[in-house]
Amino acid sequence: MPIRIPDGLPARDHLISEGVRVMTERVAIRQDIRPMRIGLLNLMPNKIRTELQIARLVGASPLQVEFTLVRLSGHTPKNTSAEHLLSFYHTWEQVKDQKFDGFIVTGAPVETLEFEDVTYWEELQQILDWTATNVHSTMNICWGAMAAIWHFHKVPKYVLDTKAFGVYRHQNLNPASPYMNGFSDDFMIPVSRWTECRAEDVRNTDGLEILMNSSHTGLCIVHERHKNRLYVFNHIEYDSTSLAEEYFRDLDAGKPIQMPYNYFPDNDPAKKPMNRWRSHAHLLFGNWISNMYQTTPYDISRIGLDEHGPGY
């Protein structure tokens, strides 16, 4: 089944060109089917690029997915046009009475700030609490993962001396997890962050299990048992060129930045980087949606009321 996205969304043509089946809202309403409802709280500066990256992975599912774009109510983004936001996004205030099978919280360029110093921290805390009652399963990415694991468990983040930046080997620590189904024992994932959460803090917190880790850059994925939450600290959703764009952007701005590790062929920035994580990105999102489908209530209004299904 295809992904259902707002009519006219710029990501639509890109998705179709990549072979992702896309359904318009007009076609979807004619089908007698209960779609999986997945919301994206997009905190990234380049919202259009992030929409495409996430929609590409969500849209690869064989299930019909209704994809809802959400933004903060009390914060006005600087890098996305007001027309785009008004045309395609709902504020959280507009959706907070709705139920979602899945909800994704992205990273944000505020990771070195204390959480309490982020201008929209109060609203984000309200949204995170709301996911406990109105969402069946959540996926929190990069700074979004650090914010969520701090909010729910007070697992701290630490500022790194140098940016963790590049493509690093990761290990599958729990092959029996439904989220790790089909993953290799060893694989590559992009990393781009100035902060980290640490394994020892997670191991000392009840209800959390580490699914994926790197010997070089530490935690990658943590699962919260019985609460249907994934904390994904690295950017498995990135495009092939995302790290290059970050690297050249910082170079042009005169910011100190090292060349991304293990990324450019022969460490030559003039050469096109190869994508070595795409298949595992699809695996992770496919496993998340599959597990969600098997455990979410058919009556979406029961989300937050029924006990979670098997596998949690």
Side-chain angles (χ1 to χ4, degrees), residues 5 9-22 48-49 51-53 55-56 239:
I5 60 176
L9 189 72
R12 181 179 184 275
D13 291 340
H14 289 282
L15 294 171
I16 292 173
S17 71
E18 294 175 7
V20 178
R21 295 185 62 198
V22 176
I48 294 176
R49 178 187 298 154
E51 294 158 14
L52 175 60
Q53 290 171 346
R56 173 188 294 126
D239 296 325

Side-chain angles (χ1 to χ4, degrees), residues 75-219:
H75 176 75
T76 302
K78 298 178 181 178
N79 299 295
T80 305
S81 72
E83 180 182 2
H84 184 82
L85 296 174
L86 289 172
S87 297
F88 303 116
Y89 277 79
H90 305 269
T91 66
W92 174 64
E93 288 287 340
Q94 293 170 331
V95 303
K96 68 178 184 179
D97 293 329
Q98 301 177 25
K99 299 290 182 79
F100 290 85
D101 299 292
F103 201 76
I104 301 167
V105 179
T106 73
V110 294
E111 58 178 320
T112 58
L113 295 177
E114 296 294 333
F115 293 118
E116 294 76 11
D117 293 336
V118 175
T119 56
Y120 47 80
W121 178 242
E122 183 175 344
E123 182 178 0
L124 183 58
Q125 289 187 100
Q126 294 173 8
I127 294 172
L128 292 172
D129 286 337
W130 165 85
T131 64
T133 57
N134 286 58
V135 176
H136 180 66
S137 182
T138 58
M139 180 185 290
N140 307 287
I141 299 174
C142 200
W143 181 82
M146 296 181 191
I149 206 168
W150 170 255
H151 175 73
F152 290 117
H153 298 286
K154 292 298 180 281
V155 172
K157 65 180 174 71
Y158 303 87
V159 177
L160 299 171
D161 293 331
T162 58
K163 186 177 184 179
F165 190 45
V167 180
Y168 292 87
R169 289 193 173 279
H170 287 70
Q171 290 75 46
N172 179 354
L173 300 186
N174 191 347
S177 167
Y179 299 106
M180 301 303 293
N181 184 34
F183 269 77
S184 306
D185 294 334
D186 183 275
F187 40 87
M188 311 297 287
I189 292 180
V191 181
S192 179
R193 49 181 165 79
W194 281 99
T195 54
E196 67 176 0
C197 291
R198 294 177 179 168
E200 56 265 32
D201 293 323
V202 170
R203 294 191 183 102
N204 291 329
T205 303
D206 291 338
L208 299 180
E209 59 177 344
I210 301 171
L211 302 184
M212 190 185 297
N213 190 71
S214 167
S215 57
H216 294 284
T217 58
L219 290 176

Side-chain angles (χ1 to χ4, degrees), residues 29-54:
I29 60 176
R30 294 202 300 266
Q31 293 195 343
D32 184 18
I33 192 171
R34 148 95 155 87
M36 301 294 290
R37 296 200 70 216
I38 295 180
L40 171 68
L41 179 65
N42 193 350
L43 304 176
M44 292 292 279
N46 191 330
K47 297 200 180 321
I48 294 176
R49 178 187 298 154
T50 303
E51 294 158 14
L52 175 60
Q53 290 171 346
I54 301 297

Side-chain angles (χ1 to χ4, degrees), residues 261-300:
Y261 172 79
N262 195 27
Y263 178 60
F264 292 114
D266 303 320
N267 280 332
D268 183 353
K271 293 185 178 180
K272 181 180 179 180
M274 291 187 298
N275 191 309
R276 289 169 288 164
W277 58 90
R278 183 184 295 114
S279 59
H280 285 95
H282 281 281
L283 268 177
L284 177 62
F285 275 76
N287 289 343
W288 179 58
I289 293 172
S290 175
N291 210 36
M292 187 193 312
Y293 174 74
Q294 294 177 55
T295 58
T296 194
Y298 179 79
D299 180 356
I300 198 168

